[in-house]
Amino acid sequence: MARLDTLGRVSLLFRPLPDHQVLAAVAWAATLRHGPVPNPWWRGDRAVPIAEVLAVLAPGHREAAGARLDILVSEHLLVRDADRLAVPPEVLAALGDAVGGGLGRSAVMLADAFYNAAEVHLIAEGLGLPASRNRDAARKAIGAALADPERVRWVLADAPQEAGALVDRLVANGPRVRSRCFTANSPYGHSRYTWREDGGAEHWLAVRGLLYPSGEAGVAELPYEVAEALRGDRFVPFTPVPPAVPDNLPLAARVEDEARARLGVLGGVVERLLAACAERPMGVRRSGGVGLRETKRLAAELGVDEAFARFCVDLCYAADLLGVAAEPEGTLWVLPTTAYDRWLSRGPAERLAPIVAAWAGGAEIFTWWPVEGETRAALSTTGDAEAAGLRAALLEVLAGLPDGRGLDRATHLPFVLAATGWLCPGLADDRRVTCVLDESEILGVTAHGALTALGRAVHEGTVADALDKLVPPASETAVFQADLTAVVTGAPSAKLSALLGSAAVRESEGHAVVWRFTPESVRQAVDAGRTAEQLLKALTRAAKGPLPQPLTYLINDVARTHGRMRVVRAGCAVRSDDEALLRELAASTALRELGLRLIAPTVLISGMPEDETLRALRAAGYAPALEAETGATVVERIPRRRAPRRRR
C-alpha cells in the first residue's frame, strides 16, 4: 500500500528508483499526449495507453518495467482502466518532478508561483529578451524563449562548467536538487523568493530562468522546457537493479572489538555529560540552540572535542534524557529530564539502548547543517523528515556487502551515493551521507566500513539484544593504587561511579576508567556529610584488595582538618577555635570581596551571604563546614533540578 507521511499525504521517500522512474514515465507520456499539467492538483483526465508508457521508457528493460507497473497499480500509486494508466493527483504532487513527466513544471508556472515582478524582469534580461511592459508579458516571453531548444543551448553555451554539469545531471535524473540559492522575500511565508548573492552555479542558472524555487525549503527545480530542449530521445531512464557491489572491497577485521571500544567511550561521555548538565546546566540562546561558549566549556570538562560534545548533547536530547526547563524570569536551561535518575540505575547496555534508538529513528542528521562551512549549534534542529530514510537506506547498502568486507570511504563513496540513491532517490548527497557514516562509526553501528552486529540489529530493529551481547556488564569493584588513583576495568556501575565521583576526580576513559583522589575531592565528600570512617568503609567494600596506606592517610588527614572554622547562619559569621587561622583569613587579599572583619578572637563577620562565603573560602583552598543556629553541622546537598520529559 502507499505510504503516508505524518500529515497523511502520499509519501514516496522510501520507494526505490525504478518506482519513481515508472511513475515519471506515465506522467511524461501523459504530457506528450495532453500537454503540461496546469498545476499539481489538477484532476482532469490524463490517462494514457500502457503501450505509450513503455515507449517512453529507455529500451532494454520494458518487461521489468511492466512488472513494476503491476506492483504500483496493486498499491494504488497508479490507476488502471483497461489498457490505460494515470497517476493520481496526490501521487503526482508527492512525486514532485513528475508534473511534466519527470521533467519539472513549466517555467511560466514556476515563475507565476514563486517570483514577484522584479525577479521575472531580471530573468528576461538574463535571457537577452527585450524589456516587457509588465510582469505577465515578461513571464510569457520567458516561457516562449525557453521553449526554443536553440535558445536554451545558446544560453548554456556560456555556462560555467559546474552549472552545465548540474543541468546535465538534472535532465538525466530528475529536476529537483538541494539548493540554498533562493531566499524567501517575507519571513511570514515562502510564496515569493529572490536570490542569494553567492555567485555559484545555481545562482548563475537561477538569474537566467534555468532553475527555480520548488516551493519546498532548500529545494530547487529545473523547468520542464529546459529538460525537454536537452533530452533528445525523450526516453525516461529505467534502472531495475541497484548498482553492483564493487569487487575491490578491503577486508574489515576486528569490527566487533572496534564497536565495543566505541560504545565504551560513548557510554562514559554520555554519563559524564548528563552529570555535568545536572550540576551546571547549559543556557539556551534566545535564537535557539546552545551557544558556542557553553559547548566549549562542556567539551573541555568532558575532555572531548566540540563536535563530539555537540553530537552527544543532541543524542541525549533526542533520547529524552536532556530537556529544556524555564526559570521564572524566562531563562532557559538544558537539564537532565526526569528519566535520567532511572536511567542511571541501569546497566551499560540498557543505558546505551535509548541513545542508539534515538539515532536510528531521529528526524535529524545530527552532525549535518544545511549551510556548508557554518558550525551547527547543539540543539539546533533542521526538522529533517528524510533523515531516518537516508539512514535506513545506507544500512541496507552496507548489509548487502560480502561478509568480512568493508567500504573504503575515499574509494567507494560514489558507489555508496549511487546505491543509496537507488533505494531512496533524491536523499543522498555526499555531505549528508558522509555525516551519517561518521555518526554510525561513533555509535559502533559500523567499523572499518562494514556493519557490526549492532549495525545489523539497528537494520533489523533488535537493538537491545545486540547491546546485551556486545557490551559487558558494569564493574562493581575498583583497583585502588598507591598513587591515589582508582582504576575500573570496563564501565563502572552507577553505585560505584557515584561513590568514586563523590570523593575523587574522573581522569580518563577507555577500556578502563581512572579516578584520582585529591585533598579537594576528598573534602567534597566530607562537605557532603561523610565521615572518614564511613568513606573508608565504603571504599573498602568496593576495593579489590586492601586500600593503600597513602589513600587512608589522605582521607583521615582531610577529615581531621575539616571544620576547624565554621560558617554560622547568623548572617553571616565565621567562627573557629584557631585564632591564627581567623587572623590569616581576615588579612587574605584573595578573600577581600567577602569584607571579613574580626569581631572576636574566634569570630569573623562576612559581608556576603553564607553560600557565597562558603564558595569563596573553598575556592581559596580552605575547608569550612556549615553550622546551623543550634550549633549542629549542616550537611549540604546539591538541589536536584530536572527538566520535564517530552514523551512517556
Side-chain angles (χ1 to χ4, degrees):
M1 296 295 290
R3 186 188 292 262
L4 303 180
D5 66 12
T6 55
L7 298 178
R9 301 170 302 196
V10 174
S11 172
L12 299 175
L13 279 179
F14 306 103
R15 308 294 307 199
L17 179 60
D19 286 0
H20 285 253
Q21 292 171 327
V22 167
L23 289 169
V26 177
W28 175 228
T31 300
L32 294 177
R33 175 176 278 261
H34 303 290
V37 179
N39 62 71
W41 298 102
W42 192 77
R43 291 183 174 272
D45 179 16
R46 295 183 60 78
V48 291
I50 293 176
E52 291 184 16
V53 173
L54 296 178
V56 301
L57 282 166
H61 297 289
R62 288 176 181 170
E63 183 177 344
R68 295 308 306 174
L69 285 172
D70 293 338
I71 292 172
L72 293 170
V73 169
S74 70
E75 296 184 356
H76 308 293
L77 292 170
L78 281 176
V79 176
R80 174 185 284 166
D81 179 13
D83 65 342
R84 291 162 59 85
L85 293 169
V87 182
E90 296 82 3
V91 176
L92 201 61
L95 191 60
D97 59 8
V99 181
L103 303 180
R105 289 166 281 185
S106 71
V108 172
M109 183 190 303
L110 292 166
D112 189 48
F114 302 120
Y115 281 149
N116 288 322
E119 287 73 32
V120 173
H121 286 295
L122 286 171
I123 288 174
E125 181 181 338
L127 288 171
L129 302 176
S132 300
R133 64 183 183 277
N134 56 39
R135 174 181 182 272
D136 189 55
R139 184 168 54 85
K140 291 178 179 176
I142 291 168
L146 294 179
D148 179 0
E150 291 301 322
R151 180 177 286 271
V152 172
R153 295 190 185 95
W154 172 75
V155 172
L156 283 171
D158 293 328
Q161 183 177 356
E162 293 176 355
L166 176 59
V167 170
D168 289 343
R169 178 160 61 88
L170 295 179
V171 169
N173 300 317
R176 292 196 165 194
V177 64
R178 291 186 177 278
S179 170
R180 288 187 57 81
C181 72
F182 301 107
T183 181
N185 271 332
S186 168
Y188 304 107
H190 299 285
S191 59
R192 291 291 184 268
Y193 293 79
T194 188
W195 309 299
R196 298 180 191 272
E197 294 293 338
D198 61 1
E202 295 158 18
H203 180 268
W204 191 95
L205 295 170
V207 297
R208 291 163 178 78
L210 304 180
L211 197 67
Y212 289 81
S214 69
E216 181 181 339
V219 177
E221 185 171 324
L222 187 79
Y224 163 87
E225 295 89 343
V226 176
E228 185 183 34
L230 299 176
R231 180 180 284 176
D233 56 16
R234 295 193 175 187
F235 287 138
V236 174
F238 184 65
T239 315
V241 295
V245 175
D247 56 8
N248 61 340
L249 299 179
L251 289 171
R254 303 180 64 86
V255 294
E256 303 308 327
D257 291 342
E258 179 72 15
R260 192 173 290 107
R262 296 273 187 172
L263 288 168
V265 171
L266 179 67
V269 171
V270 166
E271 178 192 345
R272 291 184 291 124
L273 184 154
L274 292 169
C277 290
E279 182 177 341
R280 186 178 173 187
M282 295 187 294
V284 178
R285 303 178 303 183
R286 291 181 181 273
S287 58
V290 176
L292 182 60
R293 181 177 298 177
E294 290 275 44
T295 306
K296 283 185 174 181
R297 172 184 66 79
L298 180 66
E301 188 173 337
L302 299 177
V304 300
D305 62 55
E306 293 170 36
F308 190 23
R310 277 194 302 273
F311 179 49
C312 290
V313 168
D314 285 332
L315 276 179
C316 289
Y317 186 84
D320 207 16
L321 293 171
L322 279 181
V324 176
E327 296 288 352
E329 69 273 13
T331 306
L332 298 177
W333 298 100
V334 179
L335 286 162
T337 66
T338 52
Y340 168 59
D341 300 286
R342 186 177 178 187
W343 179 87
L344 265 181
S345 67
R346 295 172 175 166
E350 287 183 286
R351 287 186 184 185
L352 286 166
I355 301 294
V356 176
W359 176 80
E364 298 284 343
I365 298 175
F366 297 99
T367 56
W368 177 79
W369 189 246
V371 183
E372 191 169 5
E374 283 189 9
T375 299
R376 172 180 179 149
L379 303 190
S380 294
T381 178
T382 58
D384 191 346
E386 301 172 349
L390 178 56
R391 271 191 295 269
L394 273 170
L395 295 182
E396 180 76 18
V397 171
L398 293 173
L401 301 182
D403 289 342
R405 298 284 176 172
L407 295 166
D408 174 67
R409 188 90 61 90
T411 304
H412 300 120
L413 184 59
F415 161 73
V416 175
L417 293 173
T420 305
W422 189 91
L423 289 167
C424 287
L427 298 194
D429 65 60
D430 55 354
R431 284 181 58 222
R432 285 159 61 83
V433 165
T434 298
C435 286
V436 174
L437 290 174
D438 289 342
E439 293 173 9
S440 70
E441 289 182 2
I442 293 172
L443 289 157
V445 170
T446 62
H448 306 304
L451 275 189
T452 64
L454 177 58
R456 287 187 289 274
V458 170
H459 181 53
E460 297 164 5
T462 55
V463 170
D465 292 341
L467 286 171
D468 284 338
K469 296 174 183 176
L470 192 62
V471 180
S475 297
E476 299 288 349
T477 58
V479 175
F480 293 86
Q481 304 183 126
D483 63 353
L484 298 179
T485 59
V487 180
V488 179
T489 304
S493 69
K495 183 179 179 181
L496 180 60
S497 184
L499 171 63
L500 295 176
S502 70
V505 178
R506 196 164 182 158
E507 276 197 340
S508 63
E509 301 288 328
H511 295 294
V513 187
V514 179
W515 275 268
R516 181 172 297 279
F517 291 87
T518 66
E520 294 77 15
S521 66
V522 173
R523 190 158 56 234
Q524 289 177 359
V526 180
D527 287 341
R530 282 185 185 268
T531 66
E533 182 182 2
Q534 290 170 335
L535 182 55
L536 288 168
K537 187 178 292 186
L539 294 176
T540 298
R541 285 196 298 266
K544 289 182 178 178
L547 294 180
Q549 275 191 342
L551 178 58
T552 303
Y553 289 160
L554 172 65
I555 292 171
N556 285 326
D557 187 53
V558 169
R560 184 170 53 255
T561 60
H562 186 266
R564 287 170 58 204
M565 70 178 123
R566 309 179 76 80
V567 174
V568 183
R569 280 184 168 164
C572 157
V574 181
R575 74 170 184 83
S576 174
D577 294 331
D578 189 337
E579 298 179 15
L581 175 60
L582 291 189
R583 289 195 298 271
E584 177 186 323
L585 294 178
S588 172
T589 57
L591 299 172
R592 185 177 297 162
E593 65 176 11
L594 295 180
L596 296 175
R597 183 165 56 91
L598 196 64
I599 62 171
T602 59
V603 181
L604 281 172
I605 292 295
S606 171
M608 294 292 188
E610 63 196 38
D611 56 342
E612 294 186 34
T613 301
L614 283 165
R615 191 181 305 118
L617 288 170
R618 287 170 180 161
Y622 297 98
L626 184 62
E627 185 175 274
E629 293 84 346
T630 61
T633 298
V634 176
V635 177
E636 300 174 71
R637 302 196 184 279
I638 299 173
R640 191 177 73 176
R641 298 169 61 194
R642 297 289 182 264
R645 295 182 65 181
R646 297 181 302 282
R647 55 181 183 269
R648 298 295 174 187

